[in-house]
């Protein structure tokens, strides 16, 4: 199936085509300036935008830089949405493990509603991932944590949205015993055997972090 648009990007430079009074992505192969390597289809506004790396001999200084297109009236809206979608989002999570069980939370709202996950969330603007991890646990569960080793840094492209995320998963130790879960954000809190948590969670970062924790224990 052919995409509706082709999104060529290299070093932040993107190729656009002039169409009357605005700039847009190319519709067809005939409009492309070079060969390319496809990367991932991004669904935008009911259309499929194929993100691809152009094969070039020289840096395309004359192309648009992606930071320049957001908010411009002469740039097609699908271009702006696709550029925004292509920017990596950061998240940070914490695996709190005691007596062979991991603390899991079930989302109470948003895209994680009804899903089991490790406590954590998006990295805030200007925050270090470790700061975000501690803040998110405090906001979701009302406990302070001391972070241990970094279990891993993981990335994922999500087929349904085309979003790209990078997540830091830490091992953590709680500094207080009583949990006070956020009444809107968290629907349920449960200590689970790690393998049960692996079966129940649909979050790829929680799965990867818990697998690496178990693999690390086996190597010791």
């Amino acid at each position: 199936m052919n995409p509706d648009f082709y999104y060529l990007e290299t070093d932040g430079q993107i190729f656009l085509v002039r169409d009357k009074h605005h700039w847009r992505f190319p519709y067809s192969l005939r409009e492309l300036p070079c060969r390319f390597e496809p990367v991932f289809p991004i669904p935008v506004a009911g259309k499929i935008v194929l993100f691809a790396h152009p094969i070039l001999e020289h840096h395309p200084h004359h192309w648009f830089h992606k930071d320049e297109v957001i908010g411009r009236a002469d740039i097609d809206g699908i271009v702006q949405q696709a550029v925004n979608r292509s920017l990596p989002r950061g998240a940070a999570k914490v695996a709190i493990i005691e007596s062979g069980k991991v603390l899991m939370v079930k989302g109470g709202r948003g895209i994680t509603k009804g899903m089991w996950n490790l406590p954590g969330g998006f990295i805030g603007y200007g925050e270090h991932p470790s700061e975000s991890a501690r803040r998110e646990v405090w906001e979701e569960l009302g406990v302070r944590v001391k972070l241990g080793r970094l279990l891993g840094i993981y990335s994922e492209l999500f087929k349904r949205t085309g979003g790209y995320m990078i997540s830091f998963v830490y091992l953590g130790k709680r500094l207080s015993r009583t949990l006070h879960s956020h009444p809107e954000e968290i629907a349920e809190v449960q200590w689970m055997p790690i393998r049960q948590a692996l079966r129940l969670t649909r979050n790829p970062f929680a799965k990867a972090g818990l697998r690496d924790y178990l693999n690390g224990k086996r190597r010791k």
Side-chain angles (χ1 to χ4, degrees):
M1 179 176 165
N2 293 328
D4 298 290
F5 301 97
Y6 293 88
Y7 177 170
L8 301 188
E9 179 181 326
T10 179
D11 290 335
Q13 302 291 118
I14 62 175
F15 178 75
L16 300 179
V17 175
R18 183 71 176 181
D19 189 347
K20 295 181 181 178
H21 303 297
H22 72 285
W23 294 88
R24 59 167 174 81
F25 286 133
Y27 292 142
S28 66
L29 294 173
R30 294 190 302 274
E31 293 183 312
L32 299 179
C34 59
R35 294 181 299 117
F36 63 89
E37 296 177 351
V39 177
F40 200 79
I42 304 175
V44 178
K47 304 292 185 180
I48 296 298
V49 178
L50 178 62
F51 186 93
H53 292 152
I55 300 173
L56 300 166
E57 293 184 2
H58 304 286
H59 180 74
H61 295 279
H62 57 292
W63 291 9
F64 285 86
H65 192 277
K66 64 192 305 178
D67 290 341
E68 300 172 347
V69 304
I70 302 299
R72 283 183 48 163
D74 62 338
I75 301 292
D76 185 67
I78 286 183
V79 172
Q80 300 191 41
Q81 290 183 60
V83 167
N84 181 65
R85 196 75 56 84
S86 74
L87 299 174
R89 269 60 172 180
K93 298 181 179 298
V94 183
I96 302 171
I97 299 173
E98 298 177 10
S99 303
K101 294 186 176 182
V102 60
L103 186 61
M104 299 291 285
V105 295
K106 181 183 286 188
R109 67 185 183 194
I111 60 175
T112 63
K113 184 176 181 179
M115 300 180 188
W116 286 106
N117 203 347
L118 292 174
F122 287 109
I123 296 173
Y125 183 74
E127 282 185 329
H128 188 277
S130 62
E131 295 176 306
S132 299
R134 288 190 291 265
R135 173 184 55 76
E136 285 286 347
V137 173
W138 170 252
E139 291 176 358
E140 292 181 357
L141 297 173
V143 295
R144 304 292 183 187
V145 292
K146 179 181 179 180
L147 298 183
R149 62 187 171 95
L150 180 66
L151 293 174
I153 303 172
Y154 312 100
S155 65
E156 187 78 12
L157 275 166
F158 293 92
K159 291 183 179 180
R160 186 178 65 82
T161 64
Y164 176 53
M165 287 192 66
I166 299 172
S167 184
F168 299 74
V169 181
Y170 295 89
L171 193 61
K173 179 181 180 181
R174 56 180 175 151
L175 300 179
S176 56
R177 307 302 297 175
T178 305
L179 301 175
H180 300 281
S181 59
H182 192 287
E184 294 181 2
E185 192 169 355
I186 304 301
E188 190 176 346
V189 179
Q190 189 173 327
W191 291 95
M192 296 183 186
I194 297 173
R195 295 192 183 280
Q196 179 187 357
L198 274 169
R199 290 195 302 271
L200 291 181
T201 185
R202 292 163 52 189
N203 183 274
F205 308 127
K207 284 182 179 291
L210 292 176
R211 286 197 188 104
D212 281 350
Y213 172 79
L214 290 176
N215 290 336
K217 285 193 66 178
R218 282 196 289 268
R219 287 194 294 266
K220 291 180 180 180

